Amino acid sequence: MTPHPPFKRRQILKLVALTVFGTLAAWYLAALLSFAGNSYGFNNRFSEIALEHHWWYLVWSNLVVLKGYLLVAVGYVALIYPLVRLWGKARPFGRWGIVWRTLLFAGLLYGFFIFKLMLEKPYFGDYSYLLGWYDAIGQFCGTGVQTAVHGLITQVFPITAMTAAAGFYLFELRKFFARAARPMLFSFAAVLGCLALLAVSGYGINRLPEDEALLAGGKKRPKNILILGSDSLRADHLSCNGYHRMTSPNIDSIAAQGVNFQRCLTPIASTLESLTSMFSSQYPHTHGVRHMFPSRAMVDNANREAPSLGGALQKLGYDTAVIGDWCACGFNELPMGFKDIIVSDFDNFRVYLSEVVFLHHQILPLFFDNRVGHSLFPKLKSFANYMTPEVVTDQVIDRLKQRAEDGQPFLLLGYYSCTHLPYKTPTHYAKLWTDPKYDGLHKHELALNVDEFIGNTDINDKWSKLPPQEVAQITALYDGCTRMFDDSVGRVVKELERLGLMDDTIILITGDHGDDLFEPNCTFGHGTTFNGGDQANHVPAILHIPGLEKPQKHTQITRTIDFAPTLLDLVKAAPESRFEGTSLAPLIRGEKKSLDLAYFGETSYLFFRRKIPGEEPLFIPPMDETTFIDPDFDFHFVLKDKFQDAVLKTKEQCVRTERFKYVRTPGMRHSIERLFDLRDDPHCEKDIKKQYPEVKARLAAALDRWLTTHQQSTTQEIYGILGEETLQPASVP
C-alpha cells in the first residue's frame, strides 16, 4: 500500500474546518425543517397568531441563532484539529481520512453534550427517546455499571479530549517560542495567565473582615430574611410532615431545629395571585389580582395600592431581591417591594416564541448556563428553561456572598419550579422512587399535551380514568422533584453556614400552593377546585429562627398571608396596618397557645370543567378563546374584558376551620353548597350539610361577611360558645 503523502498543518486545518462548518450547516437546516414542521402542526389558536402576526420575528430569531453555530464551529475546530493531528502522527491517512475522523469527533462531541443534557438538564428538550440503552444498562448490569458508564462519558471523555488538545497547543506554543528564542517570554506569559485565572475565579482573595453587628448610628443590625420556595410544593409530601418517603432530608434538618407550621394554607392555589397575597398579606379580592391573566390596569393598581413585605423592609435599609426561574416570572410585573428581580419572563409571548425557536436548535442549550452564552444571547435569561435549579441556586449563593461581604441586611427570595408540572427532573431524581419496570407514557415526566390542555375544558374526563399504576408513577416523579428542591435548599444552607450567616438569618421554606395528584374528584393541576381535600392549597411553612430555645410543631391553621406580618414582627419592624394576615410570632414566642385563625379562600382561573355528582357547575370556554396577547402589555396573555365577570362568577369559595370545611360552587341553576368533616373525611368525599345545618349556616355567614366586607372571622367568632370538636350531627342521614 502506497503511504499517504503528509498533509501540511494548514491543509489539515482547512479540511477539519470545512467538515465542521458543513456539518453544523446541515444541523442548522435540519433544525429549520423541524421547526417549520412542528410550527404548522400546532393545534391551538396561539400558534395561528404566531404564524400570522409574528412570522417575521420567528424568521429573525432563527437568524440570530447563527451566532451560536459559529461559536460552536470555532470550538469544535479548535478541539478536533489537534486530535486529528495527533491521530495522523500515529497513523498517516489521506483527505477522506481527515474528513471521516472529523465527523467522528464531531459526532462524539454532539453525543456527549446531548447525553449530559438528557441526564442532567432535561428541561432543555425531550431526549427520553435516547434513554433506552442507558436504562437497559442499569436494568441488566446494575446501577454500578450504569454509574461507571455515566462517569466515563461525562467525566473521562471530556477531560481526556481537552487534556490532549491543551497538551498539543502548549507543545506547539512552546516550539514557537523556542524558535523565536523567547523562552523567558513564554514563562512570563504562563505566570501572568495563572494569575489572571486566579483573579477571575476570586480564589485567594480574602473576604473583607466582618463588621461588628452594628449599623451606622450605633443601631443593632436586624436579622436577614431568606425565603426558599418551590412552585406546587405540597406540605404533606415532605418527610418532616410524616410522608413515607425520605423526600426532604435537608428541610427536615431545618424543621427539627426550627418551627414547623404543619397546616398552612394559601388563599388561592395559583402562582401569580398566591405570591401577590403572600407578600402583600392581602386576599386576592383586596389586592385585585384574582386570576393568572390580569390586565396592565389590574397590575398597575396592585403595584400602586397594595402594601408589601419588600417595600416595608426597603425602608429599613434591607437589600431586597428575587432570584428565580420561570415560575417567578410574575415578579417582573408585580415586584411586591423587591428591588432586584432576577427571574425568567415566560408570560411574554415573544419570549415564548424565541424559546420555541432556540430549543429546536439543539446546540443552543449549551449556552444556557454559562457566561459566554449569557453575553452572546442576553434573551436566554428570560427563557423558562434557562433558570434551572442549579442556576437559581448558584445565583442565590452569589447574592449571599455579596451580602456577607458588605454586611447589608437582606430579604432574599429564591424561587424554583422544581415541583411544577410536568415533574421533569434529571434522571437520578426521576428514578428515586419510580418503578424500574414501568414503560408507559409517563416514564420521565407527566405526558401532557399542551394544545389539549389550553383548548379543551373536558380534559379531566380523560385523566380521571388513569389507572392506579400510572398515578403511582406520576406521584413518584413528583416526589423526585421534591428531593431536587430539597437538595437545592441543602446547598444554600451549607453556604449560609460557611459564610457564618446562620445565626443572623431567618429562613422560611414554603411554596405558593400545592398540587392535585389524583385525589378523589380531581386529577392534576391546582387552583381549579377545592375537591379532594387541602392538597392544592396546603404548603410548607418551616422556619429557622436564630436563638429559638427549642423546636416547635404547630398543627393549627395558619395562612400564607400571615408570613409578611410574622417576618416583620420577628425582625422587630413596625407592623403594616393594611396587612390582612396575622403575626404568628406570639405562637413562636409562647405568648399565646392559639390564634383561632380560620381559612378563607377562592379558586383561580378555571381550566377544567368541575365534576360534582348530581350538579351542574358553571364553566367558561377554553383558555385560547378567553385570552388574547396584548402588545401594549409587553405581549402578555390577558383575559378578554368580556370574560372578566364570567371568570369571577365561576370561582369556588371556601371557609375552613380546624374540623369543618364549607365550599360554595357557582352552578347553572343555583349555588352548590357542600360541607365536610375533615376529622373523618380528609379527602372531602361525603357532604354532611344536612347533618350539620347550623355549622353550614355559620360558615356560610362567615364566608358572605368576608366576601362583602373583607372582614375575617376567627373560629371563636364563627362558632360562638359552641366548641366545634364536640359538635354532633342534628340528624342521622
Side-chain angles (χ1 to χ4, degrees):
M1 181 181 292
T2 305
H4 293 287
F7 279 85
K8 296 181 179 179
R9 292 188 182 91
R10 291 183 179 178
Q11 291 176 307
I12 297 174
L13 179 59
K14 180 180 178 180
L15 281 173
V16 168
L18 287 173
T19 304
V20 166
F21 276 82
T23 302
L24 288 175
W27 289 353
Y28 178 77
L29 290 174
L32 290 181
L33 292 173
S34 173
F35 173 75
N38 286 341
S39 297
Y40 288 100
F42 289 163
N43 296 315
N44 65 67
R45 194 174 58 82
F46 294 129
S47 302
E48 297 173 7
I49 292 172
L51 295 172
E52 184 176 350
H53 299 290
H54 300 274
W55 63 267
W56 59 271
Y57 186 78
L58 295 173
V59 171
W60 174 249
S61 296
N62 276 292
L63 292 175
V64 167
V65 302
L66 285 171
K67 294 187 295 183
Y69 279 89
L70 179 61
L71 188 59
V72 169
V74 172
Y76 270 29
V77 170
L79 188 59
I80 293 173
Y81 167 66
L83 298 178
V84 172
R85 281 279 310 276
L86 292 171
W87 195 340
K89 287 186 177 182
R91 185 176 181 180
F93 41 76
R95 178 177 285 101
W96 290 111
I98 296 172
V99 171
W100 76 255
R101 284 168 174 82
T102 301
L103 291 173
L104 172 65
F105 284 125
L108 288 173
L109 286 171
Y110 179 76
F112 161 73
F113 288 122
I114 291 299
F115 184 77
K116 280 184 68 68
L117 290 172
M118 175 177 66
L119 292 181
E120 299 173 10
K121 297 182 176 66
Y123 334 94
F124 296 142
D126 183 10
Y127 305 108
S128 57
Y129 63 94
L130 296 172
L131 278 173
W133 66 272
Y134 185 73
D135 291 338
I137 291 175
Q139 187 174 354
F140 295 107
C141 302
T143 55
V145 175
Q146 191 181 50
T147 301
V149 170
H150 181 276
L152 184 68
I153 295 175
T154 61
Q155 302 294 329
V156 176
F157 170 72
I159 290 174
T160 301
M162 291 182 68
T163 300
F168 172 84
Y169 285 119
L170 284 173
F171 182 75
E172 291 290 306
L173 191 62
R174 189 175 184 280
K175 285 199 303 183
F176 168 78
F177 279 109
R179 287 196 301 270
R182 296 173 181 171
M184 288 298 294
L185 180 59
F186 175 75
S187 302
F188 184 66
V191 171
L192 284 180
C194 292
L195 291 175
L197 283 174
L198 286 173
V200 170
S201 66
Y203 183 79
I205 301 175
N206 293 326
R207 192 158 51 93
L208 293 175
E210 294 186 9
D211 298 325
E212 296 183 7
L214 295 177
L215 295 175
K219 295 181 180 179
K220 189 174 182 180
R221 180 180 293 124
K223 298 295 183 187
N224 309 306
I225 299 173
L226 171 65
I227 303 173
L228 299 174
S230 182
D231 198 299
S232 310
L233 182 62
R234 287 178 56 146
D236 61 343
H237 275 242
L238 299 184
S239 40
C240 59
N241 286 331
Y243 194 56
H244 66 282
R245 289 171 174 156
M246 185 54 65
T247 54
S248 53
N250 293 295
I251 297 174
D252 295 354
S253 296
I254 298 173
Q257 302 174 50
V259 181
N260 186 356
F261 291 101
Q262 295 183 300
R263 196 177 294 173
C264 183
L265 303 168
T266 177
I268 187 167
S270 181
T271 302
L272 179 67
E273 309 94 286
S274 176
L275 291 175
T276 303
S277 288
M278 183 186 296
F279 289 101
S280 69
S281 188
Q282 290 185 338
Y283 287 105
H285 68 300
T286 302
H287 60 63
V289 182
R290 302 187 67 185
H291 55 75
M292 62 186 296
F293 306 114
S295 64
R296 180 183 288 278
M298 294 177 186
V299 167
D300 289 345
N301 183 71
N303 285 328
R304 184 174 58 252
E305 301 295 337
S308 65
L309 174 65
L313 291 176
Q314 270 201 62
K315 294 176 182 177
L316 299 177
Y318 275 72
D319 170 62
T320 58
V322 178
I323 296 173
D325 51 28
W326 66 275
C327 282
C329 66
F331 286 102
N332 285 312
E333 286 69 49
L334 284 155
M336 285 291 102
F338 288 96
K339 182 180 178 182
D340 292 334
I341 311 295
I342 307 165
V343 301
S344 301
D345 189 8
F346 193 56
D347 281 345
N348 181 307
F349 188 60
R350 284 199 171 174
V351 170
Y352 169 76
L353 292 180
S354 296
E355 184 165 8
V356 171
V357 170
F358 275 43
L359 289 178
H360 274 81
H361 296 274
Q362 292 194 1
I363 67 162
L364 290 179
L366 309 182
F367 298 100
F368 272 34
D369 54 359
N370 57 77
R371 292 176 181 174
V372 173
H374 304 170
S375 59
L376 196 63
F377 301 108
K379 195 176 295 183
L380 289 176
K381 291 187 178 182
S382 295
F383 287 1
N385 287 312
Y386 157 69
M387 290 288 270
T388 66
E390 296 88 348
V391 174
V392 173
T393 303
D394 289 342
Q395 295 197 8
V396 168
I397 288 174
D398 286 345
R399 192 82 179 193
L400 291 174
K401 289 177 179 177
Q402 294 172 25
R403 299 292 76 80
E405 289 186 359
D406 62 26
Q408 184 180 6
F410 60 82
L411 167 64
L412 174 59
L413 169 62
Y415 200 71
Y416 297 78
S417 64
C418 295
T419 43
H420 195 283
L421 289 165
Y423 312 144
K424 191 171 186 177
T425 62
T427 305
H428 59 284
Y429 289 114
K431 289 185 174 183
L432 279 174
W433 293 290
T434 52
D435 183 354
K437 297 180 181 178
Y438 175 87
D439 198 29
L441 288 174
H442 312 290
K443 187 169 185 178
H444 304 290
E445 62 180 295
L446 187 144
L448 177 64
N449 184 300
V450 175
D451 293 321
E452 188 178 16
F453 181 79
I454 68 175
N456 180 8
T457 59
D458 292 321
I459 189 175
N460 247 1
D461 287 339
K462 166 188 168 183
W463 288 91
S464 63
K465 299 177 178 64
L466 211 61
Q469 62 268 27
E470 301 288 348
V471 173
Q473 173 72 12
I474 293 168
T475 303
L477 288 171
Y478 177 87
D479 292 341
C481 296
T482 304
R483 185 61 172 268
M484 178 169 63
F485 172 63
D486 181 78
D487 283 347
S488 300
V489 171
R491 280 188 60 201
V492 173
V493 170
K494 185 177 180 180
E495 186 64 23
L496 273 176
E497 292 171 341
R498 190 188 72 80
L499 294 170
L501 291 175
M502 283 294 285
D503 292 338
D504 299 313
T505 304
I506 297 167
I507 304 173
L508 170 62
I509 308 297
T510 190
D512 55 345
H513 52 75
D515 233 2
D516 293 327
L517 286 172
F518 303 92
E519 283 78 16
N521 299 317
C522 63
T523 55
F524 65 94
H526 45 261
T528 61
T529 180
F530 285 107
N531 288 347
D534 291 333
Q535 69 281 342
N537 294 79
H538 187 194
V539 300
I542 297 168
L543 287 153
H544 161 77
I545 302 175
L548 188 71
E549 291 184 2
K550 60 180 181 179
Q552 303 175 17
K553 283 186 181 180
H554 298 275
T555 59
Q556 59 187 272
I557 287 176
T558 54
R559 300 83 52 91
T560 58
I561 61 168
D562 301 326
F563 289 165
T566 301
L567 292 169
L568 284 184
D569 197 341
L570 290 174
V571 299
K572 296 180 173 56
E576 165 59 66
S577 61
R578 292 175 294 167
F579 283 174
E580 293 180 313
T582 300
S583 173
L584 306 176
L587 291 176
I588 297 170
R589 292 192 290 257
E591 298 167 359
K592 292 184 179 180
K593 291 185 178 180
S594 175
L595 297 174
D596 285 328
L597 297 176
Y599 166 78
F600 296 85
E602 63 182 57
T603 54
S604 181
Y605 181 89
L606 185 62
F607 284 98
F608 312 142
R609 285 180 187 259
R610 295 191 182 97
K611 296 295 182 182
I612 301 176
E615 304 285 358
E616 288 186 75
L618 291 178
F619 70 96
I620 54 174
M623 172 196 159
D624 60 352
E625 294 182 31
T626 61
T627 60
F628 73 104
I629 298 153
D630 188 353
D632 296 325
F633 190 22
D634 202 19
F635 297 95
H636 283 283
F637 295 92
V638 173
L639 187 67
K640 294 176 181 177
D641 288 340
K642 67 178 181 179
F643 289 109
Q644 292 288 343
D645 289 340
V647 166
L648 297 183
K649 287 178 180 177
T650 61
K651 280 178 173 283
E652 281 187 338
Q653 281 104 17
C654 170
V655 58
R656 184 205 193 284
T657 56
E658 300 292 345
R659 178 180 172 185
F660 293 103
K661 177 178 177 180
Y662 170 78
V663 179
R664 183 184 294 162
T665 308
M668 291 290 192
R669 294 179 296 275
H670 56 78
S671 291
I672 304 163
E673 298 178 287
R674 293 175 290 163
L675 180 69
F676 305 102
D677 186 344
L678 297 166
R679 183 179 61 182
D680 302 320
D681 182 21
H683 292 301
C684 302
E685 298 178 85
K686 184 180 179 182
D687 183 4
I688 58 166
K689 62 177 176 287
K690 292 182 179 179
Q691 293 93 309
Y692 292 89
E694 185 175 1
V695 172
K696 190 209 91 167
R698 287 174 179 267
L699 291 174
L703 182 62
D704 288 333
R705 186 162 51 250
W706 174 67
L707 289 171
T708 57
T709 69
H710 295 240
Q711 181 183 348
Q712 304 171 68
S713 303
T714 65
T715 301
Q716 186 175 6
E717 289 169 340
I718 292 172
Y719 295 113
I721 62 172
L722 301 175
E724 68 170 324
E725 287 302 320
T726 62
L727 289 173
Q728 298 297 318
S731 61
V732 178

